[in-house]
Amino acid sequence: MLGLAACSTDKTAETASSERVVNVYNWADYIAPDTIDKFEAEYGIHVNYDIYDSSEVIDVKMLAGNSGYDVVVHSSQFSSRLTPIGVYEKLDYSRLPNVRHLDAEIIARTDSYEKTVGYSMPYHWGSTGYAWNVEMVRERLPNHPMDSADVLFDPAVISKLADCGVSFLDGATDLIPMVLAYLGRDPNAVDDENLAAAETALKAVRPYVRYFSNQKMMIDLPNKEVCVAMSWSGDYVQASRRAKEAHIDIELRYTMPKEGSGLWVDGVYMPADAPHKDNAYLFMNFLSRPDIAADIANTVFYANSNKSAREFMLPELLNDPAIYPNEEGWKILFPILTVDPKRERPRTRVFARVKSGI
Amino acid sequence: MTGNAASSTPFIEIQNVSKYFGDFAAVDSVSLTIGKGELFSILGASGCGKTTLLRILAGFETPSKGRILIDGVDITELPPYERPVNMMFQSYAVFPHMTVEKNVAYGLEKEGIPRVEIKRRVGEMLNMVQLDTFAARKPHQLSGGQRQRVALARALVKRPKVLLLDEPLAALDKKLREHTQFELMGIQYKLGITFVVVTHDQEEAMILSSRIAVMDKGRLIQVGTPKEVYEYPNSRFVADFIGTINMFEGTVVGFDDDSVRVNCKDAGGELVALSDAPPAVGSPVCLAVRPEKIFISKHEPDNTEDTRLAGIVEDLGYFGNLSLYRIRLATGRVVQVSAQNSRRSAERFLEWDDKVFISWRPRSAVLLTD
Amino acid sequence: MIAVAGFRRDMLWQRFTIAIPYLWLLVFFLAPFAIILKISLADPIIAQPPFTPFFDGQGGVAATVDSYLFLLTDKLYAVTYLKSVFMAAVATLLCLALGFPMAYGIARADEGTRNLLLLLIVLPFWISFLLRVYAWMGLLNNHGVINNVLIWLQVIDKPIAFMYTDFAIYVGLVYSYLPFMVLPLYATLERMDLDLVDAAQDLGARPSQAFWDITWPLARPGVIAGCLLVFIPAMGEYVIPYLLGGPESLLIGRVLFDEFFVNRDWPLASAVAIVLLLLLVVPIVFLQRSQARDAEGHA
């Protein structure tokens, strides 16, 4: 039965390339509203656009294979593990002429995932920190500097904010490097001693954390259900916009903690079993066209690596040090590396124990 | 079998009881006295209020007005579980998840009677209703008649002062009905418990009861022994409801001694009936005659005191023990007549379209004003 | 001859109809179960798919029970299984306590009212499950409807933290699964002969005694069906604890998700699923036996 299925997939793969279709899989809220329409109008290729809301979900789909997607946007950290086992197609950059617009300096600074080289096209990148509601925090901490991760990890500080709500990102790969950096340790360490230190520190502040989520704070920040949310750069801008749409008057700010902030990078990839590879190249190249890349950046408020796109990008985006770090910022940023898979479970366990108190 | 119960001391007293559901009077100002040891039937069509009256006696409904006394004690406000009354439901309501023995023991367990005594009394009762070999069975393993006996035993084992029976024979087939009918009478006689039976079947009421109460639209129409109710109905309703009767509407035109002359258009002239409380001349009345009280003959009878009418045989039916005739009078009115087939005859006495005479004695006719 | 052929055709047809439920069971239960069982006996590797093959290629079988052993060594699993069983059981009892009077009331209502009430019970199904859970977030939030009303009424001066607590999970579970309790209970109670309760009272039982002696045992098939329909999905529930619960409400559904998605340990995730299934099979077997006993009693 499996053999039969494989046969028929091969057959469809041959005929599929001639279909005027491309299947795209991307994060939720990670594209401009008119990008798809513009591509379809220009190329006459229909885009089946599908979205996900956590890296884990797309990761498992890629791992399982036969996803049917032609273009996927995925974290380069996760992709470092997928590339060596043949999940992705090695890209023919001659078919992606728009990569010439990329900024070599930024690429050099952000590309810490050597295994994905040759397989990915840069999409967006950013830092990990926390967004905070100025009014609510200042009521409770009038003179606190708000430049450190102590807001999240020092029981004496976070306890004062517990009543207005503090949320943490829901993932070991974001939280544990950040607390290790705060403790002055190697953020990518996964040995028992470092993990134990992270666990102790996190358990001490656990009582003051309202919840762990990657999404909920995007609703709860505008609604004042939380006043500090560990989040990714750009999130605070999207949250501010939502508040404005709902006519809620709040001022949100974003801090990259001075002790260290995790750098994340997302790339555009093509699954090795993509059924419409020709169309996939066209779509990937389209995403890197300066005007299109600028449209997307202006919408999602994350930094990209496209130099030529800058002339179309909003000044408040380009000049926001929370999004495009200054030299000080670059010093703080550390790459979140892929860890030894055998150590993945101990790290997840620490996180699970912290979350659940078990 | 219970003697003249009506004259015995009042045991159940229903005093001016009414039950309203919204504006609708299901039971309307009913007063009734039932003697100890009576087998009393409440008879009426469905919706006449007889079941509501029974449920009031059981305590499932509280009367809107009036009081109920049993053995001199006012039980109007008592909940069903504190009344000295038990009921056998039309559906039998045998508990499906309990064995026969458990069903019968249930009421005694609720009384807190010692186990040993329960066992003894349940055994006795099962013996009496001939279910002793079925004690361990579940209801679904029993026939309809056996289930009914479980329901009966379950109620009787409590030694109630009054047993209420809701349509006790309705669910049984004809053969079993007759058998059960006499079995019920036997048990009642043996235990001397007062039975109150609700039924829509007048035949059943006639056979079972010491007295019958006929109900219509929530009201009590007539109370009496089966004979009284049959022979001397007090109203058109009772006359019509119990058995078959020929009714001639008319007006009183005069009196001869103790007999009343009634002008009936249907009969084509004056008819005569006896009455001890004759209505005034000119008042509308109904003269009613039972089919079996009417004689039928090919020649005009000589007895001039009898009422005599001429007609033709429109229809006839042979029922073995008796024959039924439908006689059409000159006025077009059809009269029902029944006759015992006392003679065994190869040929029929009467045929279709035969010219005949029908006659009855004045005292066979009942004069109804209501 | 013709009669014999007809008889054979009947036999074939009969066998075919008997085979349908078995086929159903085979395709939709046993086959997936076998696949999950097979994966649970593999080792996780970084590959596509991310586990070792069951057959080693030389005609042998490469199976390991490491994943099951790991379930025993890390207390996380035992604790979350127990917590899941506990929360599902509490939610089931709450549903029963709320659902029984509801079902009883509906079964005893007159026909027009009854149809309306049944419609109201089923009505929430017309809205997406996820939307309804989200609506509860709007109600239970610190600045949600309930807290705002209570503050406005001056019952409280500070919002009560309903959200992200076990309480919120119970609200979500009970709200979502109550219809699955009410409907089977209604079905049994509606069929019950009302005379039975009257008869019990007539024989001397107080209303409460009549309830426990008659109504309750006769409603038992409905109670069992309702409890299973609530308990089984509540046990593996992922969305409600995720959206309404706090982080300390780590339930087995989430653990399974984490093993599968975060740790990419499909064999362990499969082992968690198999054990979960076994935990659920116990109440089902209990139901089967109880129903068999009831069938014996009512056949």
Side-chain angles (χ1 to χ4, degrees), chain B residues 206-220:
Chain B
M206 299 291 282
I207 296 169
L208 275 176
S209 325
S210 56
R211 280 197 305 152
I212 296 174
V214 183
M215 277 186 83
D216 182 41
K217 293 175 187 150
R219 302 188 70 100
L220 217 52

Side-chain angles (χ1 to χ4, degrees), chain C residues 225-245:
Chain C
C227 284
L228 280 180
L229 283 176
V230 174
F231 183 81
I232 291 174
M235 176 82 189
E237 181 57 56
Y238 172 74
V239 172
I240 293 171
Y242 177 62
L243 291 178
L244 301 178

